[in-house]
Amino acid sequence: MDSVHACPITSLKNFRSLDSSRSSSSFRNRSLSFGSGPRNGYSPVVMEASNGYKRKIVTGSAGYLLEDVPHLSDYIPDLPTYTNPLQDNPAYSVVKQYFVNVDDTVAQQIVVHKDSPRGIHFRRAGPRQRVYFEPDDVLACIVTCGGLCPGLNTVIREIVCGLYNMYGVKKVLGIDGGYRGFYARNTITLTPKVVNDIHKRGGTIIGTSRGGHDTSKIVDSIQDRGINQVYIIGGDGTQRGASVIFEEIRRRGLKVAVAGIPKTIDNDIPVIDRSFGFDTAVEEAQRAINAAHVEAESVENGIGVVKLMGRDSGFIAMYATLASRDVDCCLIPESPFYLEGPGGLFEYIEKRLRENGHFVLVIAEGAGQDLLAESIHSMDKQDASGNKLLQDVGLWISQKIKDHFSSQSKMTTNLKHIDPTYMIRAIPSNASDNVYCTLLAQSAVHGAMAGYTGFTVGPVNGRHSYIPFYRIIERQNKVVITDRMWARLLSSTNQPSFLRAKDVVEDKREEEPPTQNLDEEKDSDEEKDSDDIEVKKEVSHM
């Protein structure tokens, strides 16, 4: 079997890409030949996206496809390059290979069949042997947007320390208060001393806000201040704004690198393995679940209701439930449920109360919004970021449960409702997320110094990669309730699926037929498990 199929990193030799003016060098790494024509089976293709954004696509043999990220040399000719300062950095003196090979790409899908095409790849993140900025000429800025998330301060700290300690950049600004801070507020000077211990605190030291995106004013401010590296930390809406900023910068022909660091506590950003802060959120959510369990089992017919974050994606609720093992039922936005009638939630609660004497319910904030809207006739309103304002499903379902059992008069219940949402958002990141934030920040710095722009950084199958903005903002990552991970949860809680027969039939009709095409969207970890068994069977017969 082709070794490429089993390895997440592919090295392409001598292919021609769309980048036409990057310089080459023989120091440490073999350099890549850039040009405009096909060579050795690899052919560059430019595809227009629906919004007019020019995608950089490189095709190769055996169905290989590289979704490349923009580079400053794409629109600014004859840019000078400089030796990467890392080669003289004492911290890197023990590293056998300082720089990422410019040919390296990361496969989006690594579990395949023997005849599968090689599929979509992304450019591997890391330091390059040539950089496009002199350290003394760099004026970088960092902005955080949207809601709070554990790890924000760690990312800020590591961008600042990475620029200072790895590249010798001494001028870094913090944009105060989100996107509107570019044109409405003062900046904050950031140095390693200023950010030294901020990773021990929750929140963001440079402030954040929703909305306030005015592309023209933001780029005017960037141009007027002489900023040439912009690091934007935020969720899908923020990354969408970053994409627009990049397009305007490119239209004006400015030598400004725009790098995105994806932030969402809900883990709803596609392509990447996970978002920072998610592990911390799951860990902290278990504290609330444990409290609800203690309250519920300490009284007769006790019911504990915990509302967790998850506007459109129920990953926090699902993983916290699986980790806890104290939960009787988990409700998420992706899985519809109903309250009354055979197989409904009320019937299940009553059954578990008679069996165990207590009941713990975990519900994501976006779950059951259709039922809630019917109940209270809510109006569709949006916040400053354009997100639909959700009704409090925790309070609503708690009251519904109380009303049901009081009207039935079959048993007396004692319900406690816990909402740890803002407590979870505001805590500092745990050890795992701190390490992850460090890797994200340093990868972003390496990419910007190497002249890449218009990209988001994140791990794809465990390897950090540079991903074009359009791949991050085109859809949301959601729990797939037909995957085995959701089945694992159902077997853990023993809750009903709440799917009526007609729902199952309709869902099966919507499912795609099995395919070996790697150009499809990245499968979830659960699908990889099942495919892995099939691949091993194929290999054993070869």
Side-chain angles (χ1 to χ4, degrees):
M1 191 167 74
D2 190 340
S3 62
V4 171
H5 291 173
C7 180
I9 296 181
T10 301
S11 183
L12 289 183
K13 298 179 181 179
N14 300 321
F15 76 84
R16 294 271 185 169
S17 91
L18 299 181
D19 299 324
S20 57
S21 56
R22 268 178 257 181
S23 66
S24 61
S25 173
S26 59
F27 179 80
R28 287 253 177 187
N29 287 348
R30 180 180 69 257
S31 57
L32 179 65
S33 176
F34 295 96
S36 57
R39 182 177 176 181
N40 290 349
Y42 296 99
S43 174
V45 179
V46 177
M47 298 176 62
E48 289 284 344
S50 58
N51 61 358
Y53 177 83
K54 287 187 177 180
R55 303 185 179 189
K56 293 177 64 178
I57 305 296
V58 177
T59 59
S61 61
Y64 175 92
L65 189 148
L66 169 63
E67 294 199 18
D68 207 355
V69 295
H71 194 273
L72 292 174
S73 60
D74 293 343
Y75 62 93
I76 304 177
D78 304 321
L79 280 175
T81 64
Y82 313 93
T83 301
N84 194 321
L86 281 178
Q87 71 181 46
D88 301 317
N89 191 315
Y92 279 72
S93 61
V94 297
V95 180
K96 291 183 179 179
Q97 183 174 346
Y98 295 158
F99 306 116
V100 170
N101 193 303
V102 289
D103 293 346
D104 285 353
T105 58
V106 179
Q108 184 177 12
Q109 196 168 11
I110 60 173
V111 178
V112 298
H113 301 285
K114 65 180 186 295
D115 297 322
S116 299
R118 292 166 69 187
I120 294 174
H121 289 64
F122 300 106
R123 188 165 292 281
R124 186 184 179 190
R128 269 53 180 178
Q129 73 186 59
R130 305 293 294 179
V131 296
Y132 281 73
F133 293 93
E134 282 270 37
D136 291 341
D137 296 336
V138 173
L139 175 56
C141 74
I142 306 169
V143 61
T144 54
C145 305
L148 295 182
C149 176
L152 278 170
N153 277 335
T154 306
V155 174
I156 295 169
R157 181 188 190 278
E158 297 308 318
I159 292 174
V160 174
C161 292
L163 285 167
Y164 266 74
N165 299 331
M166 293 191 297
Y167 287 96
V169 172
K170 305 299 182 185
K171 294 175 288 185
V172 186
L173 301 175
I175 303 300
D176 186 10
Y179 275 137
R180 62 171 49 90
F182 276 103
Y183 54 85
R185 298 190 183 183
N186 294 325
T187 58
I188 302 168
T189 300
L190 300 176
T191 65
K193 183 176 181 180
V194 170
V195 302
N196 181 54
D197 62 351
I198 64 172
H199 61 291
K200 301 175 184 177
R201 291 180 258 160
T204 165
I205 64 161
I206 58 178
T208 186
S209 66
R210 297 188 184 276
H213 189 281
D214 187 316
T215 306
S216 182
K217 288 183 178 180
I218 290 172
V219 178
D220 284 347
S221 174
I222 290 170
Q223 190 170 2
D224 292 344
R225 296 176 190 271
I227 294 169
N228 51 20
Q229 289 186 13
V230 182
Y231 298 92
I232 300 175
I233 310 169
D236 56 348
T238 301
Q239 300 303 312
R240 190 172 290 109
S243 177
V244 176
I245 290 171
F246 157 69
E247 288 295 339
E248 177 62 17
I249 285 172
R250 182 163 68 172
R251 189 188 68 80
R252 297 188 189 188
L254 305 178
K255 186 186 175 183
V256 179
V258 180
I261 296 93
K263 175 231 62 170
T264 166
I265 202 168
D266 292 345
N267 199 39
D268 59 1
I269 289 182
V271 182
I272 64 173
D273 296 344
R274 63 183 173 90
S275 53
F276 75 82
F278 176 70
D279 277 0
T280 306
V282 170
E283 186 176 302
E284 190 68 15
Q286 288 182 81
R287 298 178 186 271
I289 293 173
N290 182 61
H293 182 249
V294 170
E295 288 282 355
E297 70 173 357
S298 298
V299 296
E300 183 180 2
N301 295 327
I303 301 175
V305 176
V306 180
K307 188 188 83 170
L308 296 176
M309 289 155 294
R311 170 179 292 275
D312 299 300
S313 302
F315 287 103
I316 292 178
M318 180 174 71
Y319 277 82
T321 294
L322 280 168
S324 169
R325 302 293 178 177
D326 288 331
V327 179
D328 296 289
C329 185
C330 175
L331 303 175
I332 61 174
E334 295 90 337
S335 181
F337 67 93
Y338 57 99
L339 301 178
E340 301 184 21
L345 179 63
F346 292 154
E347 180 184 83
Y348 176 59
I349 294 175
E350 185 174 333
K351 174 177 176 288
R352 293 306 290 264
L353 286 177
R354 294 191 187 281
E355 292 174 350
N356 300 333
H358 65 275
F359 186 90
V360 176
L361 170 67
V362 169
I363 184 167
E365 62 180 329
Q369 289 293 319
D370 53 340
L371 299 177
L372 197 152
E374 293 174 6
S375 176
I376 63 176
H377 306 291
S378 62
M379 300 293 290
D380 288 340
K381 296 181 180 179
Q382 296 180 332
D383 63 16
S385 297
N387 300 313
K388 181 180 178 181
L389 290 174
L390 302 179
Q391 300 296 324
D392 194 327
V393 72
L395 289 175
W396 172 80
I397 202 164
S398 296
Q399 191 59 51
K400 282 290 186 179
I401 293 171
K402 290 179 182 178
D403 292 344
H404 172 78
F405 283 100
S406 62
S407 64
Q408 295 293 322
S409 300
K410 292 181 179 180
M411 59 176 68
T412 302
T413 59
N414 192 326
L415 187 145
K416 296 293 189 295
H417 170 229
I418 298 175
D419 183 354
T421 301
Y422 292 103
M423 293 175 63
I424 293 174
R425 292 184 356 153
I427 65 172
S429 52
N430 63 13
S432 173
D433 272 324
N434 268 337
V435 173
Y436 181 32
C437 290
T438 299
L439 297 178
L440 285 173
Q442 291 187 0
S443 294
V445 168
H446 292 318
M449 290 298 295
Y452 293 111
T453 182
F455 69 89
T456 297
V457 65
V460 178
N461 297 311
R463 296 287 186 171
H464 283 252
S465 310
Y466 298 137
I467 306 163
F469 277 138
Y470 65 82
R471 288 302 306 273
I472 295 295
I473 64 179
E474 64 187 359
R475 66 180 182 88
Q476 284 187 316
N477 187 33
K478 295 190 177 185
V479 174
V480 180
I481 62 172
T482 54
D483 280 350
R484 282 204 307 277
M485 185 59 79
W486 183 245
R488 292 182 184 114
L489 181 140
L490 296 180
S491 66
S492 171
T493 62
N494 291 312
Q495 71 187 68
S497 67
F498 298 112
L499 291 176
R500 297 182 174 94
K502 66 180 184 67
D503 296 325
V504 175
V505 172
E506 290 175 358
D507 187 71
K508 286 183 178 179
R509 287 174 181 170
E510 293 174 359
E511 288 181 2
E512 293 291 333
T515 179
Q516 295 180 354
N517 187 354
L518 292 188
D519 292 350
E520 298 295 331
E521 294 295 341
K522 176 182 174 184
D523 289 337
S524 64
D525 289 340
E526 308 80 68
E527 294 171 317
K528 292 176 186 176
D529 291 342
S530 62
D531 288 343
D532 189 51
I533 297 171
E534 295 172 13
V535 170
K536 288 177 180 176
K537 289 179 180 178
E538 292 282 353
V539 172
S540 65
H541 288 87
M542 289 181 64

Short mmCIF file of all heavy atoms in Angstrom, two decimals, residues 138-187:
data_model
loop_
_atom_site.label_atom_id
_atom_site.label_comp_id
_atom_site.label_asym_id
_atom_site.label_seq_id
_atom_site.Cartn_x
_atom_site.Cartn_y
_atom_site.Cartn_z
N VAL A 138 9.21 44.99 11.96
CA VAL A 138 7.89 44.44 12.26
C VAL A 138 7.19 45.26 13.34
O VAL A 138 7.76 45.57 14.39
CB VAL A 138 7.99 42.97 12.73
CG1 VAL A 138 6.63 42.46 13.21
CG2 VAL A 138 8.51 42.09 11.60
N LEU A 139 5.94 45.61 13.07
CA LEU A 139 5.03 46.16 14.08
C LEU A 139 3.80 45.25 14.05
O LEU A 139 3.00 45.31 13.12
CB LEU A 139 4.65 47.60 13.78
CG LEU A 139 3.59 48.23 14.72
CD1 LEU A 139 4.02 48.14 16.18
CD2 LEU A 139 3.29 49.67 14.33
N ALA A 140 3.69 44.39 15.04
CA ALA A 140 2.60 43.42 15.09
C ALA A 140 1.49 43.89 16.02
O ALA A 140 1.72 44.68 16.93
CB ALA A 140 3.13 42.06 15.56
N CYS A 141 0.29 43.40 15.76
CA CYS A 141 -0.82 43.70 16.67
C CYS A 141 -1.63 42.43 16.90
O CYS A 141 -1.67 41.53 16.05
CB CYS A 141 -1.70 44.82 16.14
SG CYS A 141 -2.78 44.37 14.77
N ILE A 142 -2.27 42.37 18.05
CA ILE A 142 -3.11 41.23 18.45
C ILE A 142 -4.47 41.76 18.84
O ILE A 142 -4.58 42.76 19.56
CB ILE A 142 -2.48 40.48 19.64
CG1 ILE A 142 -1.04 40.07 19.33
CG2 ILE A 142 -3.32 39.25 20.00
CD1 ILE A 142 -0.29 39.54 20.54
N VAL A 143 -5.53 41.09 18.37
CA VAL A 143 -6.89 41.49 18.73
C VAL A 143 -7.68 40.24 19.10
O VAL A 143 -7.53 39.18 18.48
CB VAL A 143 -7.58 42.26 17.58
CG1 VAL A 143 -7.70 41.41 16.33
CG2 VAL A 143 -8.94 42.80 18.01
N THR A 144 -8.50 40.35 20.16
CA THR A 144 -9.39 39.25 20.55
C THR A 144 -10.83 39.73 20.39
O THR A 144 -11.17 40.83 20.79
CB THR A 144 -9.14 38.82 22.01
OG1 THR A 144 -9.23 39.96 22.88
CG2 THR A 144 -7.76 38.20 22.16
N CYS A 145 -11.66 38.87 19.83
CA CYS A 145 -13.05 39.24 19.54
C CYS A 145 -14.00 38.15 20.01
O CYS A 145 -13.63 36.99 20.13
CB CYS A 145 -13.25 39.47 18.04
SG CYS A 145 -12.12 40.67 17.30
N GLY A 146 -15.26 38.53 20.25
CA GLY A 146 -16.28 37.57 20.63
C GLY A 146 -16.28 37.29 22.12
O GLY A 146 -15.77 38.06 22.93
N GLY A 147 -16.87 36.14 22.48
CA GLY A 147 -16.99 35.78 23.89
C GLY A 147 -15.68 35.30 24.48
O GLY A 147 -14.72 35.00 23.77
N LEU A 148 -15.67 35.20 25.82
CA LEU A 148 -14.48 34.73 26.50
C LEU A 148 -14.32 33.23 26.32
O LEU A 148 -15.28 32.51 26.03
CB LEU A 148 -14.56 35.06 28.00
CG LEU A 148 -14.56 36.54 28.37
CD1 LEU A 148 -14.58 36.69 29.88
CD2 LEU A 148 -13.36 37.26 27.78
N CYS A 149 -13.09 32.78 26.53
CA CYS A 149 -12.76 31.37 26.36
C CYS A 149 -11.48 31.09 27.14
O CYS A 149 -10.54 31.91 27.08
CB CYS A 149 -12.59 31.04 24.88
SG CYS A 149 -12.08 29.35 24.53
N PRO A 150 -11.39 30.00 27.87
CA PRO A 150 -10.13 29.67 28.54
C PRO A 150 -8.99 29.57 27.54
O PRO A 150 -9.12 28.94 26.49
CB PRO A 150 -10.41 28.30 29.18
CG PRO A 150 -11.89 28.24 29.34
CD PRO A 150 -12.45 29.00 28.16
N GLY A 151 -7.87 30.21 27.84
CA GLY A 151 -6.71 30.14 26.97
C GLY A 151 -6.42 31.39 26.18
O GLY A 151 -5.36 31.49 25.55
N LEU A 152 -7.32 32.36 26.19
CA LEU A 152 -7.08 33.60 25.42
C LEU A 152 -5.79 34.28 25.84
O LEU A 152 -4.97 34.66 25.00
CB LEU A 152 -8.26 34.56 25.60
CG LEU A 152 -9.49 34.32 24.73
CD1 LEU A 152 -10.65 35.19 25.20
CD2 LEU A 152 -9.18 34.60 23.26
N ASN A 153 -5.60 34.43 27.15
CA ASN A 153 -4.38 35.08 27.62
C ASN A 153 -3.12 34.28 27.29
O ASN A 153 -2.06 34.85 27.05
CB ASN A 153 -4.46 35.33 29.13
CG ASN A 153 -5.23 36.59 29.47
OD1 ASN A 153 -5.32 37.52 28.66
ND2 ASN A 153 -5.81 36.64 30.65
N THR A 154 -3.25 32.97 27.29
CA THR A 154 -2.08 32.14 26.93
C THR A 154 -1.69 32.37 25.48
O THR A 154 -0.49 32.48 25.17
CB THR A 154 -2.39 30.65 27.16
OG1 THR A 154 -2.84 30.46 28.51
CG2 THR A 154 -1.16 29.80 26.91
N VAL A 155 -2.66 32.44 24.59
CA VAL A 155 -2.36 32.69 23.18
C VAL A 155 -1.70 34.07 23.02
O VAL A 155 -0.69 34.21 22.31
CB VAL A 155 -3.63 32.61 22.31
CG1 VAL A 155 -3.32 33.01 20.87
CG2 VAL A 155 -4.21 31.20 22.34
N ILE A 156 -2.24 35.08 23.69
CA ILE A 156 -1.65 36.42 23.64
C ILE A 156 -0.21 36.37 24.12
O ILE A 156 0.71 36.91 23.47
CB ILE A 156 -2.47 37.41 24.49
CG1 ILE A 156 -3.87 37.60 23.91
CG2 ILE A 156 -1.75 38.75 24.60
CD1 ILE A 156 -4.82 38.34 24.83
N ARG A 157 0.00 35.74 25.26
CA ARG A 157 1.35 35.66 25.83
C ARG A 157 2.32 34.99 24.86
O ARG A 157 3.45 35.49 24.65
CB ARG A 157 1.31 34.86 27.14
CG ARG A 157 2.66 34.73 27.84
CD ARG A 157 2.59 33.77 29.02
NE ARG A 157 3.79 33.83 29.81
CZ ARG A 157 4.93 33.19 29.54
NH1 ARG A 157 4.99 32.44 28.44
NH2 ARG A 157 5.98 33.31 30.32
N GLU A 158 1.91 33.88 24.27
CA GLU A 158 2.84 33.13 23.43
C GLU A 158 3.09 33.78 22.08
O GLU A 158 4.15 33.58 21.48
CB GLU A 158 2.34 31.70 23.26
CG GLU A 158 2.27 30.91 24.56
CD GLU A 158 3.58 30.95 25.33
OE1 GLU A 158 4.66 30.84 24.71
OE2 GLU A 158 3.53 31.12 26.56
N ILE A 159 2.15 34.56 21.57
CA ILE A 159 2.43 35.35 20.36
C ILE A 159 3.50 36.39 20.66
O ILE A 159 4.48 36.55 19.92
CB ILE A 159 1.15 36.03 19.81
CG1 ILE A 159 0.17 34.99 19.26
CG2 ILE A 159 1.51 37.03 18.71
CD1 ILE A 159 -1.16 35.58 18.83
N VAL A 160 3.32 37.10 21.78
CA VAL A 160 4.28 38.13 22.16
C VAL A 160 5.66 37.52 22.42
O VAL A 160 6.67 37.98 21.87
CB VAL A 160 3.79 38.89 23.42
CG1 VAL A 160 4.86 39.86 23.92
CG2 VAL A 160 2.50 39.64 23.13
N CYS A 161 5.70 36.47 23.24
CA CYS A 161 6.99 35.86 23.57
C CYS A 161 7.62 35.18 22.35
O CYS A 161 8.85 35.18 22.21
CB CYS A 161 6.80 34.85 24.71
SG CYS A 161 6.38 35.62 26.29
N GLY A 162 6.79 34.61 21.48
CA GLY A 162 7.32 34.00 20.26
C GLY A 162 7.98 35.03 19.36
O GLY A 162 9.07 34.81 18.82
N LEU A 163 7.31 36.16 19.17
CA LEU A 163 7.88 37.22 18.34
C LEU A 163 9.17 37.76 18.94
O LEU A 163 10.18 37.96 18.24
CB LEU A 163 6.86 38.35 18.16
CG LEU A 163 5.70 38.08 17.21
CD1 LEU A 163 4.60 39.12 17.37
CD2 LEU A 163 6.18 38.05 15.75
N TYR A 164 9.16 38.01 20.26
CA TYR A 164 10.35 38.55 20.93
C TYR A 164 11.49 37.54 20.95
O TYR A 164 12.62 37.84 20.53
CB TYR A 164 9.99 38.94 22.37
CG TYR A 164 9.61 40.39 22.56
CD1 TYR A 164 8.38 40.86 22.12
CD2 TYR A 164 10.47 41.30 23.18
CE1 TYR A 164 8.00 42.18 22.31
CE2 TYR A 164 10.11 42.62 23.37
CZ TYR A 164 8.88 43.07 22.92
OH TYR A 164 8.51 44.37 23.11
N ASN A 165 11.22 36.34 21.48
CA ASN A 165 12.28 35.40 21.80
C ASN A 165 12.77 34.59 20.60
O ASN A 165 13.93 34.19 20.55
CB ASN A 165 11.81 34.44 22.89
CG ASN A 165 11.47 35.17 24.18
OD1 ASN A 165 12.03 36.23 24.47
ND2 ASN A 165 10.55 34.62 24.95
N MET A 166 11.89 34.31 19.64
CA MET A 166 12.30 33.52 18.48
C MET A 166 12.80 34.39 17.34
O MET A 166 13.74 34.01 16.63
CB MET A 166 11.14 32.65 18.00
CG MET A 166 10.75 31.55 18.98
SD MET A 166 9.61 30.33 18.30
CE MET A 166 8.16 31.33 17.94
N TYR A 167 12.17 35.54 17.12
CA TYR A 167 12.49 36.35 15.94
C TYR A 167 13.08 37.72 16.25
O TYR A 167 13.48 38.43 15.34
CB TYR A 167 11.23 36.51 15.08
CG TYR A 167 10.84 35.24 14.36
CD1 TYR A 167 9.88 34.39 14.88
CD2 TYR A 167 11.45 34.88 13.16
CE1 TYR A 167 9.52 33.21 14.23
CE2 TYR A 167 11.11 33.71 12.50
CZ TYR A 167 10.14 32.88 13.04
OH TYR A 167 9.81 31.72 12.40
N GLY A 168 13.13 38.09 17.52
CA GLY A 168 13.71 39.37 17.87
C GLY A 168 12.84 40.57 17.56
O GLY A 168 13.33 41.70 17.46
N VAL A 169 11.52 40.34 17.39
CA VAL A 169 10.58 41.44 17.15
C VAL A 169 10.29 42.15 18.47
O VAL A 169 9.93 41.50 19.46
CB VAL A 169 9.27 40.91 16.52
CG1 VAL A 169 8.23 42.01 16.45
CG2 VAL A 169 9.54 40.31 15.15
N LYS A 170 10.43 43.46 18.50
CA LYS A 170 10.31 44.21 19.75
C LYS A 170 9.07 45.10 19.82
O LYS A 170 8.82 45.73 20.85
CB LYS A 170 11.55 45.10 19.95
CG LYS A 170 12.86 44.35 19.90
CD LYS A 170 12.97 43.29 20.98
CE LYS A 170 14.32 42.59 20.95
NZ LYS A 170 14.41 41.48 21.91
N LYS A 171 8.30 45.15 18.74
CA LYS A 171 7.14 46.06 18.74
C LYS A 171 5.85 45.27 18.52
O LYS A 171 5.56 44.83 17.40
CB LYS A 171 7.30 47.13 17.65
CG LYS A 171 8.47 48.08 17.89
CD LYS A 171 8.68 49.03 16.73
CE LYS A 171 9.26 48.32 15.53
NZ LYS A 171 9.59 49.26 14.41
N VAL A 172 5.09 45.09 19.61
CA VAL A 172 3.83 44.35 19.55
C VAL A 172 2.77 45.16 20.28
O VAL A 172 2.99 45.61 21.42
CB VAL A 172 3.95 42.95 20.20
CG1 VAL A 172 2.66 42.18 19.99
CG2 VAL A 172 5.13 42.18 19.64
N LEU A 173 1.63 45.35 19.65
CA LEU A 173 0.53 46.12 20.22
C LEU A 173 -0.67 45.21 20.48
O LEU A 173 -0.93 44.27 19.72
CB LEU A 173 0.10 47.25 19.28
CG LEU A 173 1.15 48.29 18.89
CD1 LEU A 173 0.56 49.25 17.86
CD2 LEU A 173 1.64 49.04 20.12
N GLY A 174 -1.41 45.51 21.52
CA GLY A 174 -2.69 44.88 21.76
C GLY A 174 -3.79 45.85 21.37
O GLY A 174 -3.76 47.02 21.77
N ILE A 175 -4.74 45.39 20.56
CA ILE A 175 -5.87 46.24 20.16
C ILE A 175 -6.93 46.13 21.24
O ILE A 175 -7.45 45.05 21.52
CB ILE A 175 -6.43 45.81 18.80
CG1 ILE A 175 -5.32 45.84 17.73
CG2 ILE A 175 -7.60 46.69 18.39
CD1 ILE A 175 -4.69 47.19 17.52
N ASP A 176 -7.28 47.23 21.86
CA ASP A 176 -8.16 47.25 23.02
C ASP A 176 -9.63 47.09 22.62
O ASP A 176 -10.18 47.92 21.90
CB ASP A 176 -7.97 48.57 23.77
CG ASP A 176 -8.74 48.62 25.08
OD1 ASP A 176 -9.27 47.57 25.50
OD2 ASP A 176 -8.79 49.69 25.70
N GLY A 177 -10.25 45.99 23.06
CA GLY A 177 -11.70 45.86 22.95
C GLY A 177 -12.24 45.35 21.63
O GLY A 177 -13.30 45.80 21.18
N GLY A 178 -11.55 44.41 20.99
CA GLY A 178 -12.08 43.81 19.78
C GLY A 178 -11.88 44.64 18.54
O GLY A 178 -11.06 45.57 18.51
N TYR A 179 -12.65 44.32 17.50
CA TYR A 179 -12.46 44.99 16.19
C TYR A 179 -12.62 46.50 16.28
O TYR A 179 -11.88 47.25 15.63
CB TYR A 179 -13.46 44.43 15.18
CG TYR A 179 -13.01 43.16 14.49
CD1 TYR A 179 -13.89 42.10 14.29
CD2 TYR A 179 -11.70 43.03 14.03
CE1 TYR A 179 -13.48 40.94 13.63
CE2 TYR A 179 -11.29 41.87 13.39
CZ TYR A 179 -12.18 40.83 13.19
OH TYR A 179 -11.76 39.69 12.56
N ARG A 180 -13.58 46.97 17.08
CA ARG A 180 -13.77 48.43 17.14
C ARG A 180 -12.59 49.14 17.78
O ARG A 180 -12.42 50.36 17.61
CB ARG A 180 -15.07 48.78 17.88
CG ARG A 180 -15.14 48.35 19.31
CD ARG A 180 -16.37 48.94 20.01
NE ARG A 180 -17.57 48.75 19.24
CZ ARG A 180 -18.38 47.69 19.34
NH1 ARG A 180 -18.07 46.71 20.18
NH2 ARG A 180 -19.46 47.59 18.61
N GLY A 181 -11.73 48.40 18.49
CA GLY A 181 -10.55 49.01 19.08
C GLY A 181 -9.56 49.53 18.05
O GLY A 181 -8.74 50.40 18.37
N PHE A 182 -9.63 49.03 16.82
CA PHE A 182 -8.74 49.52 15.78
C PHE A 182 -8.95 51.01 15.51
O PHE A 182 -8.01 51.73 15.20
CB PHE A 182 -8.97 48.74 14.47
CG PHE A 182 -8.21 47.45 14.38
CD1 PHE A 182 -8.86 46.24 14.58
CD2 PHE A 182 -6.85 47.44 14.10
CE1 PHE A 182 -8.17 45.04 14.48
CE2 PHE A 182 -6.16 46.24 14.00
CZ PHE A 182 -6.81 45.03 14.19
N TYR A 183 -10.20 51.45 15.62
CA TYR A 183 -10.48 52.84 15.25
C TYR A 183 -11.13 53.65 16.37
O TYR A 183 -11.34 54.85 16.22
CB TYR A 183 -11.39 52.88 14.02
CG TYR A 183 -12.67 52.09 14.15
CD1 TYR A 183 -13.80 52.64 14.75
CD2 TYR A 183 -12.75 50.78 13.69
CE1 TYR A 183 -14.97 51.91 14.88
CE2 TYR A 183 -13.92 50.04 13.80
CZ TYR A 183 -15.03 50.62 14.40
OH TYR A 183 -16.18 49.90 14.54
N ALA A 184 -11.45 53.02 17.50
CA ALA A 184 -12.17 53.76 18.54
C ALA A 184 -11.43 53.83 19.87
O ALA A 184 -11.86 54.55 20.77
CB ALA A 184 -13.54 53.11 18.77
N ARG A 185 -10.32 53.10 20.01
CA ARG A 185 -9.63 53.08 21.29
C ARG A 185 -8.12 53.12 21.10
O ARG A 185 -7.61 52.96 20.00
CB ARG A 185 -10.01 51.83 22.09
CG ARG A 185 -11.49 51.75 22.43
CD ARG A 185 -11.76 50.64 23.41
NE ARG A 185 -13.19 50.51 23.71
CZ ARG A 185 -13.70 49.66 24.57
NH1 ARG A 185 -12.90 48.85 25.25
NH2 ARG A 185 -14.99 49.60 24.78
N ASN A 186 -7.43 53.29 22.24
CA ASN A 186 -5.98 53.28 22.21
C ASN A 186 -5.46 51.84 22.17
O ASN A 186 -6.17 50.90 22.50
CB ASN A 186 -5.40 54.00 23.43
CG ASN A 186 -5.73 55.49 23.41
OD1 ASN A 186 -5.78 56.10 22.36
ND2 ASN A 186 -5.95 56.05 24.59
N THR A 187 -4.20 51.70 21.80
CA THR A 187 -3.57 50.39 21.80
C THR A 187 -2.84 50.17 23.13
O THR A 187 -2.60 51.11 23.89
CB THR A 187 -2.58 50.25 20.64
OG1 THR A 187 -1.59 51.28 20.75
CG2 THR A 187 -3.30 50.37 19.31
#
